[in-house]
C-alpha cells in the first residue's frame, strides 16, 4: 500500500471518528431536552443547568485524569490501572506510514474526544434519575469523582485491556460499560436521596407526577436516537475500506431497527396494560431498544436486531413498574432504560456473537454493577454526610429553579404578566 493511500485512509478514519464524536456530543442536548420535558416546570432551569455543567465538568475531568486511567500507558495490573495526567502528543506521519499491525490508523486525539463524550453520556444517566430533589452542587461534585475515577476504572477493565477484556467479556459499544454503569450509579443516588414528596402514598399507591413539556421530551428522544448512530457506528473505529464501510452501514441499520422495534413494542405493551398509549413509555421504549442493541450492533441481521430491541421495549415497561413497586423514584426512567435494557442487551449478545460466553457476560455485568454501585454509594454517602444531597422540603415544594438558580424557565406563566 502506498504512503498516499495509507495517509488518505488515516485521514478518512479520523474524520469519521470525529463526526461520530459530534453525534455523541449532540446526545448531551438530547439528555437535556428529555429530562427538562419530564420534570415539572419549577425544576426546568436546574435540570438544564445540571446537564450543561455536567458535560463541561466531565470533559475537564476526563482530560485531566480520566482518560489516562481508562487507557493507561503503564497499567499496574489487569485490575489496577496506571495514573497519569493530561494528554501526550499525536501520531507522527512516520508511525502512520510505517504500516503493520501496530501502526495507528486514526488520530489519538480523535480517540480521546470520542471517549470523553462517552464519559459525559454515562454521567448524564444519573442526572435524570435524581431530578427534582437532589441539589445541584453536590451532584456536580459527584460528577467530578465519577468521571475522574469511578467510570474510567471499570472502562479500563473492558476497553482499556483489563481483566474483563482478558476474560472474554463482550460489550461492543457499552450496554454495560456505559449504560448499565450509569444506571448503577443512578440507583445508588436514588436510594440515598429518596423519592420526591408525594410520589408514593402511605399504602404503596403510585402517584403520577407529569412532566411539564412532553414535546421537549419527544425532541430529546429523537436527538438521542440520532446521536446513537455515532455512539454505535463510531465504535467500529474504521470506515476506510469496503468491509469496514459495509460494517458501519449494518450497524446503522441495526441500531435504527432496534430503536423502532423497542418503541412500537413498548407502546403496544403499555396500551395492553393501561388501556392508553403512554407517550413516556413510547419514548423510553425507543431508548431501551437503542441501549439493548449497543452491546452488539454488528453481528445480528436486521430481523434479529429488531427482536433484541423489541424485547428491550418490553423490559423497560416492566422495569419502570417494578421500580415504582419498590418506591424507587426515577422521574425519567433512566435506571430502567439504561440498566434493565442494558442487562438484557449484554446477554442478547449470546444470540449472535459466538465469542461471547454466558459466564463471561455474567461476570462482566456483575463486576461492573458492583463496582459502579458500591463506589458511587460510598462517594455519595460522604457527600450526604458533609454537605448534604437533598433539597429541603421548602425548596422542593417551591422548585429547584428559584432556590438553586435564581430564575424560572417560564416566568411569564408564573408571574402573572
Amino acid at each position: 500500500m502506498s504512503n498516499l493511500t495509507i495517509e488518505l485512509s488515516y485521514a478518512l478514519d479520523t474524520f469519521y471518528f470525529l463526526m461520530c464524536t459530534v453525534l455523541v456530543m449532540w446526545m448531551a442536548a438530547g439528555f437535556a431536552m428529555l429530562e427538562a420535558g419530564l420534570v415539572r416546570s419549577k425544576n426546568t432551569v436546574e435540570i438544564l443547568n445540571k446537564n450543561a455543567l455536567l458535560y463541561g465538568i466531565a470533559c475537564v475531568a476526563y482530560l485531566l485524569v480520566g482518560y489516562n486511567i481508562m487507557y493507561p500507558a503503564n497499567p499496574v495490573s489487569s485490575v489496577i490501572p496506571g495514573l497519569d495526567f493530561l494528554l501526550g502528543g499525536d501520531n507522527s506521519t512516520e508511525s502512520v506510514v510505517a504500516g503493520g499491525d501496530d501502526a495507528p490508523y486514526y488520530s489519538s486525539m480523535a480517540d480521546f474526544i470520542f471517549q470523553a463524550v462517552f464519559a459525559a453520556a454515562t454521567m448524564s444517566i444519573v442526572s435524570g434519575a435524581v431530578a427534582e430533589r437532589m441539589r445541584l452542587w453536590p451532584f456536580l461534585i459527584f460528577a467530578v469523582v465519577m468521571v475522574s475515577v469511578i467510570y474510567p476504572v471499570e472502562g479500563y477493565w473492558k476497553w482499556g485491556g483489563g481483566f474483563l477484556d482478558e476474560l472474554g467479556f463482550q460489550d461492543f459499544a457499552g450496554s454495560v460499560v456505559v449504560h448499565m454503569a450509569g444506571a448503577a450509579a443512578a440507583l445508588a443516588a436514588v436510594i440515598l436521596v429518596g423519592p420526591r414528596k408525594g410520589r408514593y402514598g402511605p399504602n404503596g399507591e403510585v402517584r403520577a407526577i407529569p412532566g411539564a413539556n412532553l414535546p421537549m421530551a419527544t425532541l430529546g428522544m429523537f436527538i438521542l436516537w440520532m446521536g446513537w448512530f455515532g455512539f454505535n457506528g463510531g465504535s467500529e473505529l474504521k470506515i476506510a475500506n469496503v468491509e469496514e464501510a459495509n460494517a458501519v452501514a449494518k450497524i446503522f441499520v441495526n441500531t435504527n431497527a432496534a430503536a423502532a422495534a423497542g418503541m412500537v413494542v413498548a407502546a403496544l405493551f403499555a396500551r395492553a396494560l393501561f388501556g392508553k398509549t403512554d407517550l413516556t413509555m413510547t419514548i423510553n421504549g425507543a431508548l431501551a431498544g437503542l441501549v439493548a442493541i449497543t452491546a452488539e450492533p454488528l453481528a445480528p441481521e436486521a430481523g434479529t436486531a429488531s427482536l433484541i430491541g423489541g424485547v428491550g421495549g418490553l423490559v423497560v415497561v416492566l422495569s419502570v413498574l417494578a421500580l415504582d413497586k419498590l418506591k424507587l423514584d426515577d422521574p425519567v426512567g433512566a435506571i430502567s432504560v439504561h440498566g434493565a435494557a442494558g442487562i438484557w442487551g449484554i446477554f442478547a449478545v449470546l444470540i449472535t456473537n459466538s465469542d461471547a460466553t454466558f459466564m463471561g457476560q455474567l461476570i462482566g455485568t456483575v463486576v461492573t454493577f458492583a463496582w459502579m454501585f458500591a463506589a458511587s454509594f460510598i462517594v455519595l454517602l460522604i457527600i450526604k454526610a458533609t454537605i448534604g444531597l437533598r433539597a429541603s422540603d421548602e425548596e422542593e415544594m417551591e422548585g429547584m429553579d428559584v432556590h438553586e438558580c435564581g430564575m424560572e424557565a417560564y416566568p411569564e406563566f408564573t408571574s402573572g404578566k
Side-chain angles (χ1 to χ4, degrees), residues 243-388:
E243 181 181 358
E244 294 295 342
N246 288 344
V248 168
K250 186 178 182 184
I251 289 170
F252 272 53
V253 168
N254 286 344
T255 299
N256 193 68
M263 170 186 279
V264 172
V265 169
L268 290 171
F269 190 36
R271 182 164 180 81
L273 290 175
F274 314 131
K276 304 291 182 183
T277 310
D278 186 325
L279 175 60
T280 62
M281 292 298 186
T282 300
I283 289 170
N284 281 337
L287 299 178
L290 289 162
V291 170
I293 199 62
T294 294
E296 183 48 86
L298 177 59
E301 297 304 318
T304 307
S306 299
L307 174 65
I308 292 168
V311 174
L314 284 174
V315 166
V316 76
V317 175
L318 292 171
S319 178
V320 167
L321 297 175
L323 288 180
D324 274 335
K325 289 287 186 184
L326 296 171
K327 296 188 178 181
L328 295 171
D329 183 18
D330 180 356
V332 305
I335 296 169
S336 298
V337 167
H338 301 277
I343 292 170
W344 153 244
I346 209 71
F347 287 101
V349 174
L350 297 166
I351 299 171
T352 58
N353 186 337
S354 59
D355 292 332
T357 66
F358 178 80
M359 286 307 299
Q361 300 303 88
L362 178 63
I363 292 170
T365 302
V366 171
V367 167
T368 302
F369 180 87
W371 165 255
M372 292 300 300
F373 180 84
S376 298
F377 194 92
I378 291 168
V379 172
L380 288 163
L381 194 62
I382 293 170
I383 296 172
K384 182 177 182 178
T386 51
I387 63 172

